[in-house]
Amino acid sequence: MSEGILNGIRVIEGSAFVAAPTAGMTLAQLGADVIRFDAPGGGLDWKRWPLSSGGDSLFWSGLQKGKRSIEIDLRSEEGRETLTQLITAPGEGNGIFVTNFPARGWMSYEALCERREDLIMVVMTGNYDGSSEVDYTVNPSTGFPAAMGPRDSAVPTNSLMPAWDSIMGGLAVVGLLAALRHRDATGEGQLVQIALSDVAFATVGHLGRIAEVQLEGSDHAPDGNYLYGAFGGDFPCKDGRRVMIVALTDRQWKALKQATGTEELFAKVEQATGNDFSDEAGRYNGRDLIRELLAPWFAKHTLDEIRATLAGTGVSWGPYQTFKQLVEEDARCSTENPMFTMVEHPVGTYLTPASPLTFSVSGRLPAKRSPHLGEHTEEVLAELETEPAGDTS
Amino acid sequence: MSEGILNGIRVIEGSAFVAAPTAGMTLAQLGADVIRFDAPGGGLDWKRWPLSSGGDSLFWSGLQKGKRSIEIDLRSEEGRETLTQLITAPGEGNGIFVTNFPARGWMSYEALCERREDLIMVVMTGNYDGSSEVDYTVNPSTGFPAAMGPRDSAVPTNSLMPAWDSIMGGLAVVGLLAALRHRDATGEGQLVQIALSDVAFATVGHLGRIAEVQLEGSDHAPDGNYLYGAFGGDFPCKDGRRVMIVALTDRQWKALKQATGTEELFAKVEQATGNDFSDEAGRYNGRDLIRELLAPWFAKHTLDEIRATLAGTGVSWGPYQTFKQLVEEDARCSTENPMFTMVEHPVGTYLTPASPLTFSVSGRLPAKRSPHLGEHTEEVLAELETEPAGDTS
């Protein structure tokens, strides 16, 4: 129970930035022994912002938690040999390598397979042809930035959250666990590949946006904070705070009218204007009118009053919060939530999430600290020496 | 090879909207037999936008592809019994249930376990206490909308892309495969739970934003399309198109200066102003100046010229595209990309993605079509009759 559901798996991670570190961190949170290697002095994301006032990367800390960190100089033949031994070490739970580095030369799947035939190697690239790309260059191409932001905006709006990286990190773990299941059953390893722009464009397709272009020829302009295809909009409150209100389902719409005392108002306006807000399409088409009619109620109440009034009503809503307000005001982002604990990291002590996944039998591991860079170099190298040579063929 | 890496697993999905359907679709793309059940006439997302001109949901089609669809009336005892039998059917690959419905009463883990002790059940909720929440109500609370959009914006900026749902869908599959591995090894099933706001707030933590608040007390205002903590910004081109340019690493920064012929310009300006753009922090702090100095080069060239000039240079960049431009202009989103094929769905024929994951041994299944609602009701019920009663205890 206390060791995590993936206890016994050892994963070597060669990575930087978000996607591959997220994959490794997800595995570490589930109990895998994840060893991230970096060049001496740190890799490309060693000083990635946000930074502490002491110059330490809080980003690096967040994405390496629960991992062991080793420094290896891959410019030396000795370093490359050590890493090859580590990646191809024998044992059922070993022989798993996750990377977003170019998988060429000695680090290619073929070369590593010569040392361990049943290697599972997950390679993340920017595009499917192996060329590079980052979340911030893929996102503008997806169509989302051109369809969000203020209605009258002449420019696209980037997302600050690297969603494609985070999604790819999760899917990489899906690929790894599927390949491990195959290896457990058949003894065969394999190369698993995934590209960031494929993840992004596939998602555009999943959500019906490719079909909409091809079948309907339609495109989208920014529409402010409205939700697409039903009612959802933001409202300023009496105290300057804002809330997001959603009525996707009939039940949510009825609850919203009831809680705000606008049932009669909407009935009269629907009658007078010929609008029908009883289905999603009607609510979407009438979104400006709906917002106009609801706005006075929100303007008359503070966020606290709104929270109290809407509690238990079935209204779908959420407060807008800055990062600071999230951390300082939202109980879901505090130690009241069993996912979070205060953890002492080398960069400082802060509220740290464990995996969002809980397992009734296997449990959930408490959040772990991030390592010092190279903290486990000696330890891991010593372990390697006590293991036999990496050849299971 | 042609059956998919998860061939042999059967998953019952009770779901609506994005997260749980994404989990089922991800499993179906890898070869699992995923059976989604809906109330007769369709569930809450049966008419979710985007719609075809014929009124069919392209959203529903996109997220159900590769699944079998059955209609079951859960208000009747017979319907509930049929579904219970389906969820708890015997066999190594059976007994897996994924849902975002309230797991209460006959649909609770405890009740279903009475019929199959080693059931794996993945339950997705809005908040960890089981209360409901959708992507569009969680996102405002994360802090991201308050920190993105135009610099001078007095209002937050919602993301159009339901990132938290997509991330949760992937993590749910991670949880399912980890639980399946545990069951294969020990015979024990278990309840796997995950909450949308936990996924979102954990991600805020992973990216260092919680630590930044707690250790540094800092918060963030919108900063336009700039990237945080390094240089990244958007540029209008001569022909009215726009591009996103990123210089996270030193190599990218050098390539950018070289490709735009601005090396000398930057050297002189750094000398004159005392700026040092040689590291990420310097480039972030000087982002307005950098953008000002690079803008003329982009304004002088069309997107096609920029594409030709930057090809192979190591500059990290991407074009802004609407959904239509993505589908009509980007070869990565076409049948040139082996992930995509044209597939005939009940709602029409459109470019459809397979899984972004490729497996060197297990292959990648071609994209599959989405079902008609209830297309497989008879077929699945007939299969159920040929199987023995669902009790493996």
Side-chain angles (χ1 to χ4, degrees):
Chain A
M1 174 110 184
S2 63
E3 292 179 318
I5 194 163
L6 295 184
N7 180 46
I9 294 178
R10 191 174 75 180
V11 178
I12 312 302
E13 176 193 314
S15 71
F17 300 118
V18 182
T22 294
M25 183 207 62
T26 301
L27 291 159
Q29 286 182 319
L30 299 179
D33 175 16
V34 178
I35 302 171
R36 166 159 166 163
F37 65 85
D38 279 292
L44 292 172
D45 56 356
W46 174 235
K47 291 294 167 188
R48 183 84 184 93
W49 286 40
L51 301 178
S52 71
S53 47
D56 294 316
S57 171
L58 304 175
F59 170 97
W60 196 92
S61 175
L63 285 168
Q64 315 325 321
K65 53 181 172 281
K67 301 178 191 173
R68 294 200 283 172
S69 168
I70 61 173
E71 286 172 284
I72 292 192
D73 186 358
L74 297 179
R75 289 168 310 182
S76 80
E77 192 157 332
E78 195 196 337
R80 295 193 292 266
E81 173 57 25
T82 300
L83 193 58
T84 300
Q85 280 180 34
L86 202 57
I87 292 170
T88 62
E92 210 185 319
N94 287 340
I96 308 176
F97 179 34
V98 173
T99 191
N100 67 320
F101 293 155
R104 287 192 295 255
W106 69 273
M107 215 194 263
S108 70
Y109 174 67
E110 293 71 24
L112 292 168
C113 271
E114 281 174 23
R115 300 283 285 271
R116 178 163 176 161
E117 211 184 346
D118 68 345
L119 179 71
I120 292 171
M121 179 161 163
V122 181
V123 174
M124 300 184 218
T125 59
N127 295 305
Y128 73 89
D129 65 2
S131 59
S132 77
E133 202 81 57
V134 296
D135 189 286
Y136 311 96
T137 59
V138 166
N139 189 50
S141 297
T142 60
F144 284 106
M148 56 187 263
R151 243 185 203 174
D152 54 358
S153 179
V155 302
T157 300
N158 284 7
S159 176
L160 183 63
M161 156 67 199
W164 312 117
D165 274 343
S166 292
I167 297 170
M168 176 148 93
L171 280 179
V173 177
V174 168
L176 187 156
L177 292 178
L180 186 59
R181 184 166 178 270
H182 180 86
R183 186 171 81 178
D184 286 346
T186 67
E188 280 178 324
Q190 60 192 313
L191 174 64
V192 183
Q193 290 173 284
I194 187 164
L196 189 64
S197 62
D198 278 0
V199 169
F201 300 157
T203 306
V204 174
H206 302 332
L207 297 171
R209 302 291 187 159
I210 293 177
E212 196 181 18
V213 168
Q214 291 192 326
L215 300 178
E216 304 303 322
S218 50
D219 217 339
H220 288 277
D223 195 28
N225 285 335
Y226 284 117
L227 185 149
Y228 178 57
F231 182 76
D234 69 317
F235 293 88
C237 316
K238 190 183 176 188
D239 53 356
R241 295 293 297 267
R242 283 183 108 83
V243 294
M244 179 75 192
I245 301 291
V246 169
L248 268 169
T249 67
D250 292 349
R251 192 181 292 189
Q252 289 166 350
W253 174 237
K254 281 177 191 153
L256 177 59
K257 287 189 292 185
Q258 197 164 17
T260 56
T262 52
E263 289 156 301
E264 210 180 300
L265 173 67
F266 276 106
K268 284 183 183 163
V269 170
E270 283 179 272
Q271 201 173 24
T273 60
N275 275 289
D276 176 6
F277 300 143
S278 67
D279 69 3
E280 293 159 71
R283 291 195 287 276
Y284 177 62
N285 292 325
R287 62 196 180 283
D288 284 315
L289 185 53
I290 292 175
R291 188 156 175 264
E292 206 59 43
L293 293 170
L294 287 171
W297 188 86
F298 290 95
K300 261 192 302 223
H301 296 90
T302 65
L303 175 58
D304 281 347
E305 288 165 4
I306 291 166
R307 196 188 303 274
T309 305
L310 300 187
T313 60
V315 174
S316 179
W317 79 285
Y320 282 87
Q321 301 178 144
T322 66
F323 293 124
K324 204 157 190 270
Q325 286 165 337
L326 166 67
V327 173
E328 295 177 353
E329 297 176 13
D330 196 324
R332 297 171 300 177
C333 189
S334 77
T335 52
E336 277 187 41
N337 180 340
M339 182 176 73
F340 282 108
T341 42
M342 291 299 288
V343 175
E344 191 182 337
H345 301 268
V347 301
T349 299
Y350 60 81
L351 187 73
T352 306
S355 174
L357 288 161
T358 67
F359 298 89
S360 61
V361 172
S362 309
R364 168 158 69 182
L365 292 175
K368 291 186 192 156
R369 78 171 179 87
S370 52
H372 291 275
L373 181 69
E375 178 177 343
H376 306 92
T377 308
E378 277 183 41
E379 175 184 298
V380 169
L381 294 186
E383 284 170 16
L384 195 58
E385 276 177 23
T386 66
E387 287 170 359
D391 195 339
T392 59
S393 60
Chain B
M1 170 110 185
S2 63
E3 292 179 318
I5 194 164
L6 294 184
N7 180 46
I9 294 178
R10 191 173 77 178
V11 179
I12 312 302
E13 175 193 315
S15 72
F17 300 117
V18 181
T22 294
M25 184 207 62
T26 301
L27 291 159
Q29 287 182 319
L30 300 179
D33 175 17
V34 178
I35 301 172
R36 166 160 165 161
F37 66 85
D38 279 291
L44 291 173
D45 56 356
W46 172 236
K47 292 294 167 189
R48 183 84 183 94
W49 287 38
L51 301 178
S52 71
S53 48
D56 294 316
S57 170
L58 304 175
F59 170 97
W60 197 91
S61 175
L63 285 168
Q64 314 326 320
K65 52 182 174 282
K67 299 177 191 173
R68 295 199 283 172
S69 168
I70 62 173
E71 286 172 286
I72 292 191
D73 186 358
L74 296 179
R75 290 168 308 180
S76 80
E77 193 157 331
E78 194 195 340
R80 295 192 291 268
E81 173 57 27
T82 300
L83 193 58
T84 301
Q85 280 180 32
L86 201 57
I87 291 170
T88 62
E92 209 185 319
N94 286 340
I96 308 175
F97 180 33
V98 173
T99 191
N100 68 319
F101 294 155
R104 287 192 294 254
W106 68 274
M107 215 194 264
S108 70
Y109 173 68
E110 293 71 24
L112 292 168
C113 272
E114 282 175 23
R115 301 282 284 272
R116 178 162 175 161
E117 210 183 348
D118 68 347
L119 179 72
I120 293 171
M121 180 160 163
V122 181
V123 174
M124 300 184 219
T125 59
N127 294 306
Y128 73 90
D129 64 3
S131 59
S132 78
E133 201 79 57
V134 296
D135 189 286
Y136 311 95
T137 58
V138 166
N139 190 49
S141 297
T142 60
F144 284 106
M148 55 186 263
R151 242 186 205 174
D152 53 359
S153 179
V155 302
T157 300
N158 283 7
S159 176
L160 183 63
M161 155 68 197
W164 312 116
D165 274 342
S166 292
I167 296 170
M168 176 150 91
L171 279 179
V173 177
V174 167
L176 188 156
L177 292 178
L180 185 59
R181 183 166 178 272
H182 181 87
R183 187 170 80 178
D184 286 346
T186 67
E188 280 179 325
Q190 60 191 313
L191 174 64
V192 184
Q193 290 173 284
I194 186 165
L196 189 65
S197 62
D198 278 0
V199 169
F201 300 155
T203 305
V204 174
H206 302 334
L207 297 171
R209 302 291 188 159
I210 293 177
E212 197 181 18
V213 169
Q214 292 192 325
L215 299 178
E216 303 304 322
S218 50
D219 217 340
H220 288 276
D223 196 28
N225 285 335
Y226 285 116
L227 186 150
Y228 178 57
F231 182 76
D234 69 317
F235 294 87
C237 315
K238 191 184 174 185
D239 54 357
R241 295 293 298 266
R242 281 183 109 82
V243 294
M244 179 75 192
I245 302 290
V246 168
L248 269 168
T249 66
D250 292 348
R251 191 181 292 188
Q252 289 166 349
W253 174 237
K254 281 178 190 150
L256 176 60
K257 287 190 290 185
Q258 197 164 17
T260 56
T262 52
E263 288 156 303
E264 212 180 298
L265 173 67
F266 276 106
K268 284 183 185 164
V269 170
E270 284 179 273
Q271 202 173 24
T273 61
N275 274 288
D276 175 6
F277 300 144
S278 67
D279 69 3
E280 294 160 70
R283 291 195 287 275
Y284 177 62
N285 292 325
R287 61 196 180 283
D288 285 315
L289 185 54
I290 292 175
R291 187 155 175 264
E292 206 59 44
L293 294 169
L294 286 171
W297 187 87
F298 290 97
K300 262 194 303 228
H301 296 92
T302 65
L303 175 58
D304 281 347
E305 288 164 4
I306 290 166
R307 195 188 303 275
T309 305
L310 299 187
T313 60
V315 174
S316 180
W317 78 285
Y320 281 88
Q321 301 176 144
T322 65
F323 293 125
K324 203 156 191 271
Q325 287 165 336
L326 166 67
V327 173
E328 294 177 354
E329 297 175 12
D330 196 324
R332 296 171 299 177
C333 189
S334 77
T335 53
E336 276 187 41
N337 180 341
M339 181 176 73
F340 282 109
T341 43
M342 291 298 289
V343 174
E344 191 181 336
H345 301 268
V347 301
T349 300
Y350 61 82
L351 187 74
T352 307
S355 174
L357 288 161
T358 68
F359 297 88
S360 62
V361 171
S362 309
R364 170 158 67 183
L365 292 176
K368 290 185 193 158
R369 76 172 181 85
S370 51
H372 291 274
L373 182 69
E375 180 177 342
H376 306 93
T377 308
E378 276 183 43
E379 174 184 299
V380 168
L381 294 187
E383 285 169 17
L384 196 59
E385 277 178 23
T386 67
E387 287 171 358
D391 195 340
T392 59
S393 58

